[in-house]
Amino acid sequence: MEDHGYWQEQLSAFVDGELSPEEEAELREHLEGCAGCRSALALLRGMTGALASAEEEPPAALPEGTRFLFEREKTDRKFILKRWRFTAIAAVVCLALLGFGTQAPRLFGGNTAKTEAVSAPMAIADESPTASLMEADEAEPAPAEAQKGATLRASGGGMPTPEPAPQAPAAADSAVYGSANGAWSGETPAEDSGEAQENSPDTAAGTSPYYMYSTEGLPGYAIYQELENAGGWYCVCFVYGEMLPSIREDRICVALESPEGQERWKIPLSVFTKEGLREQFNEIYYGDQLSQEVLVIGILDMEEEKWLP
Amino acid sequence: MTKEEEARLVQAIRAGDGDAFETLVREHQTRVYNLALRMTGNPEDALDVSQETFLKAWRTLGQFRGDCSLGSWLYRIASNLSIDLLRKAKRRQTEKLVSLEDPGEDGRPLELPDVSGDPQLLLERAEGRQAVLECLDQLPREQKLILVLRDVNGLSYEEIGETMNLELGTVKSRIFRARARLANVLAEQGTFDRPTASKKLSKDRRG
């Protein structure tokens, strides 16, 4: 008899209906003269038949429970997003009150490679901010709105007053969940802005339409104002589960929102780079609609519900 | 479900449409659940794994590029989650002894056992099915997985290739090797007569 292994493997594929017509004809011819293969075929059919009949009906709890978890997770994310805004604003106010020195503006330009992007929130915090800013400054000029956001952030050591504390959270929420477009025209951000531009104009570092901010000292209201002025789309990047920099692709989730205040998308992101963001949104979700205003404005540990360091 | 319908469904789910999400679940739950059930070996874990599969699919829908079918993508998630769970369980308690090497790679013949009579008849009966399922549990995870995908879930070789990230030819040979292994385990357990080993089997055959 010929090669047992060959014929048996062919038999296995034959049982699955995965042979080509030629192979099948060849096998049938062989079967006629080979009792061993005939009983092997019976064995294979018996085994596959036994397994095929083992299929069970899933419990009703599967679709129902999954749907429930889905809805809950949607709500949770919304909740966390709201909380996040509040926290961001509170953090800025606290920093201002405590008189911390100028916080390093944690943002950098659009040319960042993936590895840098992944480790950025940690790395930038430890290193001199100047390096990344200089790098950023070499690129094209920043949009005005970005400058405003950046300078606002850098103004922690100066004049900011506690006033935004009661106002800002409400404003933050309304900007996204409501429709009060004027909510940002409070006096404090304006003051902040002026002050900061005098003190540290070099912190205006946005060089591309894409920014990545670390979470520390994040002036949420400034960014949202900036977004509103820009009239575009923006997204918030959450990281949940494992911490940076050992970031897992499937653990990054992005919420994309329109400036009018509607929460539009919550979508996971596979590539944690600004380029990745842009590409993915443009390509898949918005076509040309998303022309420039893509911002990653914060990174949050979804499981711990706290900022990543 | 056609490609277009699938794409529309994915769009809707991305937008947070709960009904669309449930449609996806109902469409694929039988295969996902049975995959998880056979891999984990119990209905509670199977339910957990299935739910997590769909939720994870939702969370990572941005990574789905449509270069494989939505089903294959889901089964891949379910496979990974099942295997993760098995690994965790193994860490907690010592698993029953399972030889992980593939027959054929350790020098043993890579062939079906020699059987006489009609094993198909025996295997088609309820106790035969139970015996096959029990023996399936003794296979290495990857072999178990590929047989579950093929025989329980009824996936084509192409779909299995997508799910397990294998070439078609590899799918074919791996399925055969898994079956040969399974048949040998069955023979060792005396599920059917094997003339060449009948003496040995009659001695240690259990009730």
Side-chain angles (χ1 to χ4, degrees):
Chain A
M1 193 157 60
E2 295 169 57
D3 180 15
H4 244 332
Y6 169 77
W7 289 116
Q8 291 194 346
E9 188 171 315
Q10 292 297 94
L11 281 172
S12 167
F14 175 65
V15 168
D16 296 328
E18 298 272 357
L19 286 186
S20 69
E22 297 77 31
E23 287 176 311
E24 208 174 302
E26 178 198 49
L27 180 68
R28 283 181 193 282
E29 198 183 314
H30 171 77
L31 273 173
E32 277 174 30
C34 181
C37 275
R38 282 199 298 274
S39 69
L41 178 61
L43 170 63
L44 286 169
R45 284 199 167 129
M47 288 197 309
T48 54
L51 288 176
S53 64
E55 188 171 272
E56 289 181 23
E57 193 66 24
L62 173 44
E64 287 160 13
T66 313
R67 173 80 185 259
F68 172 79
L69 293 171
F70 172 81
E71 301 293 348
R72 196 183 66 181
E73 197 167 312
K74 264 201 316 191
T75 317
D76 280 359
R77 284 191 198 175
K78 212 174 277 182
F79 172 72
I80 289 169
L81 189 67
K82 272 189 181 173
R83 277 245 316 243
W84 173 80
R85 278 149 208 273
F86 184 86
T87 312
I89 287 149
V92 169
V93 172
C94 283
L95 278 176
L97 285 174
L98 289 169
F100 280 174
T102 301
Q103 284 281 319
R106 281 80 156 99
L107 78 165
F108 39 102
N111 303 324
T112 318
K114 181 175 182 180
T115 44
E116 284 175 83
V118 168
S119 59
M122 281 177 171
I124 298 296
D126 294 336
E127 290 163 15
S128 157
T130 334
S132 63
L133 292 171
M134 305 254 282
E135 187 186 315
D137 281 340
E138 284 166 18
E140 56 195 279
E145 299 85 8
Q147 294 207 12
K148 196 151 66 173
T151 52
L152 274 169
R153 186 174 319 96
S155 66
M159 295 294 289
T161 61
E163 273 95 301
Q167 294 170 2
D173 279 355
S174 66
V176 177
Y177 297 99
S179 58
N181 275 352
W184 292 111
S185 56
E187 50 180 348
T188 312
E191 276 178 24
D192 251 4
S193 190
E195 167 85 14
Q197 270 158 7
E198 282 174 27
N199 286 351
S200 47
D202 60 336
T203 54
T207 57
S208 91
Y210 311 98
Y211 307 100
M212 194 163 306
Y213 298 83
S214 95
T215 54
E216 202 178 332
L218 181 78
Y221 61 88
I223 294 170
Y224 286 115
Q225 182 173 38
E226 179 183 320
L227 292 168
E228 209 158 86
N229 292 340
W233 296 77
Y234 60 95
C235 66
V236 184
C237 186
F238 298 121
V239 179
Y240 49 98
E242 284 163 39
M243 307 284 276
L244 295 171
S246 59
I247 208 159
R248 276 174 47 172
E249 290 185 351
D250 60 354
R251 292 294 181 109
I252 301 169
C253 182
V254 168
L256 196 73
E257 302 173 14
S258 77
E260 287 79 29
Q262 275 177 305
E263 189 178 356
R264 298 295 287 266
W265 301 92
K266 286 192 190 300
I267 32 187
L269 188 71
S270 56
V271 192
F272 192 57
T273 60
K274 292 177 288 295
E275 291 74 18
L277 274 174
R278 173 186 196 177
E279 193 184 307
Q280 198 149 11
F281 287 126
N282 280 343
E283 182 185 317
I284 302 175
Y285 303 105
Y286 300 102
D288 293 326
Q289 195 177 357
L290 185 75
S291 53
Q292 47 181 332
E293 289 82 16
V294 172
L295 299 177
V296 176
I297 57 174
I299 300 165
L300 182 71
D301 185 325
M302 292 272 282
E303 277 174 12
E304 300 286 318
E305 290 190 17
K306 69 181 184 199
W307 295 109
L308 293 175
Chain B
M1 201 177 289
T2 65
K3 271 257 180 245
E4 292 74 41
E5 285 169 334
E6 219 164 57
R8 236 174 290 134
L9 192 68
V10 167
Q11 278 294 333
I13 295 170
R14 270 180 186 145
D17 182 339
D19 288 336
F21 179 71
E22 196 173 327
T23 305
L24 174 84
V25 174
R26 291 191 183 276
E27 173 91 11
H28 295 281
Q29 62 169 342
T30 305
R31 280 173 167 177
V32 167
Y33 176 75
N34 278 282
L35 169 63
L37 182 64
R38 291 304 153 212
M39 291 304 287
T40 63
N42 74 79
E44 292 78 30
D45 285 342
L47 181 60
D48 280 354
V49 166
S50 305
Q51 291 189 336
E52 188 54 28
T53 296
F54 290 111
L55 291 170
K56 189 170 178 176
W58 172 55
R59 287 180 208 128
T60 58
L61 213 50
Q63 293 171 30
F64 178 67
R65 297 304 185 99
D67 44 15
C68 70
S69 79
L70 197 52
S72 298
W73 189 64
L74 283 168
Y75 311 144
R76 190 186 307 160
I77 297 175
S79 306
N80 291 338
L81 288 174
S82 299
I83 287 171
D84 280 353
L85 190 126
L86 290 175
R87 286 207 186 105
K88 276 180 207 151
K90 194 181 177 183
R91 250 180 272 137
R92 276 201 304 271
Q93 60 189 54
T94 36
E95 230 174 13
K96 61 181 163 187
L97 266 174
V98 169
S99 155
L100 284 176
E101 66 270 18
D102 204 341
E105 280 167 22
D106 60 357
R108 273 187 287 161
L110 207 149
E111 283 181 7
L112 296 165
D114 187 10
V115 293
S116 67
D118 197 347
Q120 188 175 7
L121 284 178
L122 178 62
L123 290 171
E124 274 172 356
R125 293 208 299 268
E127 61 267 38
R129 183 202 307 160
Q130 198 49 45
V132 174
L133 288 177
E134 278 165 20
C135 292
L136 182 70
D137 269 340
Q138 298 181 33
L139 261 52
R141 284 185 208 113
E142 271 68 29
Q143 293 198 335
K144 192 159 121 178
L145 175 63
I146 204 166
L147 285 188
V148 169
L149 289 171
R150 171 56 225 152
D151 290 336
V152 181
N153 284 347
L155 297 191
S156 70
Y157 283 12
E158 194 186 343
E159 289 170 308
I160 294 170
E162 284 180 358
T163 302
M164 297 181 71
N165 204 14
L166 299 173
E167 300 288 325
L168 272 187
T170 314
V171 172
K172 180 179 164 187
S173 67
R174 291 227 183 148
I175 286 177
F176 171 66
R177 275 194 283 188
R179 281 175 176 158
R181 181 70 169 272
L182 179 62
N184 279 293
V185 176
L186 279 163
E188 279 163 26
Q189 309 242 325
T191 306
F192 41 75
D193 286 330
R194 195 167 65 156
T196 49
S198 57
K199 267 186 191 163
K200 177 182 173 282
L201 284 173
S202 59
K203 261 189 247 164
D204 48 14
R205 181 177 298 167
R206 278 156 277 162

